[in-house]
Amino acid sequence: MFPGTEEGPEDDSTKHGGRVRTFPHERGNWATHVYVPYEAKEEFLDLLDVLLPHAQTYVPRLVRMEAFHLSLSQSVVLRHHWILPFVQALKARMTSFHRFFFTANQVKIYTNQEKTRTFIGLEVTSGHAQFLDLVSEVDRVMEEFNLTTFYQDPSFHLSLAWCVGDARLQLEGQCLQELQAIVDGFEDAEVLLRVHTEQVRCKSGNKFFSMPLK
């Protein structure tokens, strides 16, 4: 999970939407996250414009994600002087990977580990094996740097919206069925939610590093 933790000198939750930082900020520590970026097209945002207001009838505090991606790592802490070696190790492992298509069309509700945030996501239904292969390589880099590897049996997904707190009770069941019906009935959803993966990206603090696939 962990759709990106802001870099900053103080843990003021009012500055990041009421979210609670997963780990305390310390000078020289950089929150780092590896993921596949998703560039949202107009049609995707049109779908979101239907999905989100419907979900908000159940949980009004839901807000749209500012950017979209599929995580390949947990959010980890890197010391500043380890960023470039870490990125170089990642790039070395990504060079052999080919671009691939995946489909994300199954609505699912997620929380972070601490249950302090809830997300509405679209789960990957094809392309799962390729994501597992990518995670396997990312995990090996994490192990080299003594960092936490990704979750066992991960559910790869594209987070669409989030809120503070554990809102699974309100969102699962009837709401989830209705959201899935919206996705299934959306014009050209089959084409819209089939995505070509062209790169892996690493965000460390406020720096971004892109690793193109073959």
Side-chain angles (χ1 to χ4, degrees), residues 42-54 56 64 182 186:
E42 187 177 348
E43 296 85 352
F44 178 80
L45 297 176
D46 289 343
L47 172 59
L48 210 47
D49 283 342
V50 181
L51 280 174
L52 185 55
H54 191 84
Q56 286 169 330
R64 180 190 290 192
I182 291 171
F186 196 77

Side-chain angles (χ1 to χ4, degrees), residues 38-203:
Y38 175 73
E39 305 300 333
K41 296 183 171 63
E42 187 177 348
E43 296 85 352
F44 178 80
L45 297 176
D46 289 343
L47 172 59
L48 210 47
D49 283 342
V50 181
L51 280 174
L52 185 55
H54 191 84
Q56 286 169 330
T57 64
Y58 289 86
V59 180
R61 66 183 185 277
L62 279 162
V63 293
R64 180 190 290 192
M65 301 295 292
E66 293 177 8
F68 304 96
H69 66 261
L70 297 96
S71 292
L72 300 175
S73 80
Q74 298 194 51
S75 193
V76 297
V77 177
L78 268 184
R79 300 294 292 172
H80 184 265
H81 61 278
W82 285 116
I83 294 173
L84 284 180
F86 178 85
V87 170
Q88 287 164 355
L90 269 180
K91 283 185 175 177
R93 292 201 173 276
M94 294 297 133
T95 52
S96 61
F97 273 92
H98 290 270
R99 299 176 180 193
F100 64 94
F101 282 96
F102 70 88
T103 300
N105 59 5
Q106 186 73 39
V107 183
K108 196 165 179 178
I109 309 302
Y110 297 89
T111 65
N112 62 345
Q113 282 181 311
E114 297 79 16
K115 308 289 190 291
T116 56
R117 283 175 266 166
T118 303
F119 303 85
I120 298 174
L122 288 173
E123 185 179 31
V124 168
T125 54
S126 73
H128 186 83
Q130 289 94 326
F131 275 102
L132 282 176
D133 288 344
L134 284 174
V135 165
S136 175
E137 296 300 322
V138 173
D139 276 351
R140 289 171 73 177
V141 176
M142 293 292 180
E143 288 168 348
E144 287 175 29
F145 287 80
N146 294 316
L147 297 169
T148 306
T149 54
F150 205 43
Y151 308 104
Q152 292 295 311
D153 302 318
S155 170
F156 298 106
H157 60 279
L158 190 63
S159 290
L160 307 176
W162 71 278
C163 68
V164 171
D166 186 349
R168 286 174 298 173
L169 198 60
Q170 300 98 304
L171 292 173
E172 290 177 343
Q174 183 69 27
C175 177
L176 185 62
Q177 291 174 22
E178 292 167 0
L179 294 177
Q180 187 64 57
I182 291 171
V183 170
D184 293 343
F186 196 77
E187 185 179 1
D188 296 330
E190 191 174 328
V191 175
L192 174 62
L193 299 176
R194 187 170 184 262
V195 183
H196 194 217
T197 305
E198 299 181 348
Q199 62 171 299
V200 168
R201 198 172 286 168
C202 176
K203 181 185 182 210

Side-chain angles (χ1 to χ4, degrees), residues 2-9 11 16 19-35 73-83 86-87 90 117 142 147 201-209:
F2 307 106
T5 306
E6 295 85 345
E7 186 72 3
D11 191 15
H16 35 91
R19 285 175 286 178
V20 178
R21 192 183 297 280
T22 307
F23 40 78
H25 174 84
E26 293 178 22
R27 191 170 296 280
N29 281 354
W30 293 64
T32 302
H33 177 222
V34 184
Y35 59 94
S73 80
Q74 298 194 51
S75 193
V76 297
V77 177
L78 268 184
R79 300 294 292 172
H80 184 265
H81 61 278
W82 285 116
I83 294 173
F86 178 85
V87 170
L90 269 180
R117 283 175 266 166
M142 293 292 180
L147 297 169
R201 198 172 286 168
C202 176
K203 181 185 182 210
S204 191
N206 56 6
K207 299 179 187 299
F208 293 85
F209 305 90

